[in-house]
Amino acid sequence: MTQASPISISVVAGQTFLLFNIDDIKYVRQLGIVGSLVGTLPAAPQQNLFLGVPLQLMAEEALWLVEHGYAKLIPDDRFIRDIYDHLSDSDIMLIERELEQTRQKERSWKIQEHQAKLDRLGVTKRGGSNDKELIEQGLTVVVNNTPSRLPSYVFFKRLYEESDILQKNLLSGLRKDTLSYRVFSYLKSTGYYMAPGLRFGGRYIAYPGDPLRFHAHLIVNCVGWNEDIGLVNMVGGGRLATGVKKLWVIGSQDPDKDQNVQCFSVEWAGFG
Amino acid sequence: MSQELLIETELEDEVQPWEYLNSANLKRGQKDFEKDDTQIQNSTLQDSLDHMYNALSVPRAHTVKQNVKAYYQDGQWRSELKGNFMQTMGVVRNDWCYLTEEEIIYLVERGTVEPIWVKNGQEVTMDLQSVYAMCATDLVRYQVYSNLKRCGYIVQRYTPRECATVRKPWYLPTMFRAVLRRLDILNWFIFPAFTSSWLKSKFLTYSSIFESIRLQFKPQRQAAPTYPLDITFDVWKPDPRFTKKSPPLPDFQIVIVDVSSTRFPTKNQLDDLFKRVEYQGRSQESLSEAQGGAKEKKRLKDGSNCVLFALVDNGVINYMRLSQGNLSSANVIPTKKARGPTQRTTK
């Protein structure tokens, strides 16, 4: 699947990057960007193992997508407010009418189903007002993921996406010169799938392919070129990583020489 | 071998294949070590992805009968007085149930309420993205909230309790205190002649000697920390008798920490925090001091005060429990029944 125009990443509360559109989530997944699902899954709301929309991106992931031209950033607080503030009375009537149309479709389908069921059961008494009431009560109310059905959605989306000053402003908050981003994009370029590292006590964890199919290989830490790694860190990290069958990796880059990010891996030998 | 090693990590620590969402008991799915570019590997991966996208695409919906509308007006969310959630969430005022930001996102996200934008008396149904934009001032806080709610806990924003009496330290006049301190120093020189325990004791048993040389801990007075930590949520285990109006003491209290911007709390910050925590069982811990055996062991292990830290890294949450060990209050002096070498068992 190729997408002609860049997708839009919602910037919420100034620093969180979210995707609400399922097609966008599929699209970035094909680019090797996994993110973390953080929303409650309406189909199974009382568990924490499988979560739903929205998908949260690490700042590094958002930056990588924008830098490679796959995405634009949209400041959701302003964007959404603009959409709702510019709703005219006729817009609301239009939305209302569309809603009524889908509801009518569902209603007639439900009535048909009901009739068919009565026929099957051989009930001849028809048309009680009670039945109608029950059908009315059984209609569904849907809450969408995105406001894309609102009339001014496309207009404001384009307005924000095409404002170069705004895009530059949002990007400047992301700081692409940091070591962690360079380590991230280096590992990403070698084909690893990256995820936040808190679960295993590192900056990132890296998977050899889609995390749905593969176990993680690396626990990645970013350490400045002249910074002390700390022997205790190394022993602790190495032991933990080996215990969960992963490698403890430190990535760094010499600031004086313009060269690639260099990575070193530590494995606990269990010697003696 | 790999299974045995990995079994120690939590289910939530690994990304799970979504096929298991539909199976009755959630269990660990089989995953591969690395890519081998075989057809079968590619197709199982595609299967997993399809399951995930299907689960994500299930519409967020409820029936007209269950419908509860929540209106957004003047920066506030209020819902109709309807639905089970009211038992533990929101504040009822003037025939409306007012909801906090994390409560409304949670309820919309799981499909319980319909969010409505009110404009000139007209209503427009909102969507999830809009609700996030309108009220996600602190997404980290919301994520911890919803994680706890999905586990089934009752969660409310922390409010300091009014009924609790704060014990004020009793200050002696400064000069009198200074004199006392001098006397304290004297004690060290003429030890143990002036200590009260020496005067009382006859030193006929080991325990009386132990008692007399036991260290006395005095709580140190400290300056308040420059950046005090805030308790974010009061958390209760699910309980049908729970009432919003007069909630019992919470079972846990949670401090939320964003790992990207915060360091490990200092001793000063922790002491300050421990002074403020209030949860069920805290007062009992100090009472049960006299009880021995397993209970004593548990009391020592659990400590006297405890607070939970929720560490959040880009949507991944870890919980950490910090508590104050109170070894000094343990009754380590052997009593008459159990004392000395006669108790020692040999193997």
Side-chain angles (χ1 to χ4, degrees), chain A residues 48 56 87 139 141 145 149, chain B residues 62 64 119 125 143 150:
Chain A
N48 275 308
Q56 181 171 355
L87 278 180
L139 295 179
V141 179
N145 286 331
R149 77 199 156 83
Chain B
H62 51 256
V64 170
K119 193 180 179 183
T125 300
Q143 285 171 352
R150 284 191 294 259

Side-chain angles (χ1 to χ4, degrees), chain A residues 10 13 16 40 46 48 51 56 76 85 87 89 137 139 141 143-145 147 149 211 213-215 217, chain B residues 18 31-33 41 60-65 109-110 119 122 125 127-129 136 143 147 150-151:
Chain A
S10 299
T16 317
T40 309
Q46 287 303 147
N48 275 308
L51 298 181
Q56 181 171 355
D76 253 18
D85 281 346
L87 278 180
D89 287 357
Q137 293 280 300
L139 295 179
V141 179
V143 176
N144 292 322
N145 286 331
R149 77 199 156 83
R213 191 66 235 151
F214 305 102
H215 291 296
H217 281 187
Chain B
W18 283 66
K31 295 213 273 186
D32 295 341
F33 179 70
Q41 196 178 54
R60 185 175 292 102
H62 51 256
T63 61
V64 170
K65 194 180 177 188
E109 204 168 64
R110 77 198 296 284
K119 193 180 179 183
Q122 282 172 303
T125 300
D127 48 86
L128 188 65
Q129 186 178 353
Q143 285 171 352
N147 182 276
R150 284 191 294 259
C151 288

Side-chain angles (χ1 to χ4, degrees), chain A residues 10 12-13 15-16 18 20 22 25-27 29-30 36-54 56-60 76-77 79-81 84-89 92-93 95-96 99 103 110 136-150 153 191 193 196-200 202-203 205 207-217 242-246, chain B residues 1-3 5-6 8-9 11-21 26-36 41 44-45 48-49 52-53 55-67 72 106 108-111 113-115 117 119-120 122-134 136-139 142-143 146-152 258-259 311-318:
Chain A
S10 299
V12 175
Q15 57 201 350
T16 317
L18 300 175
F20 288 90
I22 293 172
I25 293 175
K26 285 184 192 173
Y27 176 59
R29 190 108 186 176
Q30 284 177 349
S36 338
L37 290 165
V38 291
T40 309
L41 201 63
Q46 287 303 147
Q47 46 86 37
N48 275 308
L49 229 42
F50 299 101
L51 298 181
V53 176
Q56 181 171 355
L57 300 171
M58 291 190 279
E60 291 86 344
D76 253 18
D77 47 345
F79 170 58
I80 299 294
R81 201 160 275 281
Y84 282 97
D85 281 346
H86 286 81
L87 278 180
S88 65
D89 287 357
I92 296 178
M93 290 223 317
I95 296 165
E96 207 47 50
L99 200 70
R103 213 165 263 173
K110 281 223 157 149
E136 208 55 38
Q137 293 280 300
L139 295 179
T140 49
V141 179
V142 178
V143 176
N144 292 322
N145 286 331
T146 65
S148 56
R149 77 199 156 83
L150 295 183
Y153 174 78
Y193 280 56
L198 185 71
R199 286 183 181 118
F200 294 104
R203 186 80 180 75
I205 41 180
Y207 295 82
D210 195 301
L212 274 186
R213 191 66 235 151
F214 305 102
H215 291 296
H217 281 187
T242 309
V244 293
K245 303 206 86 188
K246 301 184 197 325
Chain B
M1 172 75 175
S2 73
Q3 277 298 335
L5 269 174
L6 280 163
E8 284 169 23
T9 59
L11 272 177
E12 281 166 48
D13 282 346
E14 284 277 359
V15 183
Q16 297 298 312
W18 283 66
E19 289 89 317
Y20 291 92
L21 174 61
L26 296 167
K27 54 180 179 184
R28 177 181 296 280
Q30 279 289 335
K31 295 213 273 186
D32 295 341
F33 179 70
E34 60 186 356
K35 270 188 182 173
D36 53 15
Q41 196 178 54
T44 33
L45 172 61
S48 279
L49 283 170
M52 177 171 83
Y53 295 141
L56 291 185
S57 311
V58 173
R60 185 175 292 102
H62 51 256
T63 61
V64 170
K65 194 180 177 188
Q66 303 162 322
N67 184 246
Y72 182 63
Y106 173 71
V108 170
E109 204 168 64
R110 77 198 296 284
V113 302
E114 181 190 11
W117 176 276
K119 193 180 179 183
N120 307 333
Q122 282 172 303
E123 300 174 0
V124 185
T125 300
M126 291 171 79
D127 48 86
L128 188 65
Q129 186 178 353
S130 306
V131 173
Y132 261 82
M134 291 302 164
T137 46
D138 188 344
L139 218 61
Y142 168 65
Q143 285 171 352
S146 61
N147 182 276
L148 290 166
K149 286 299 283 185
R150 284 191 294 259
C151 288
D258 190 346
V259 288
L311 315 177
V312 186
D313 175 16
N314 287 291
V316 181
I317 305 170
N318 262 19

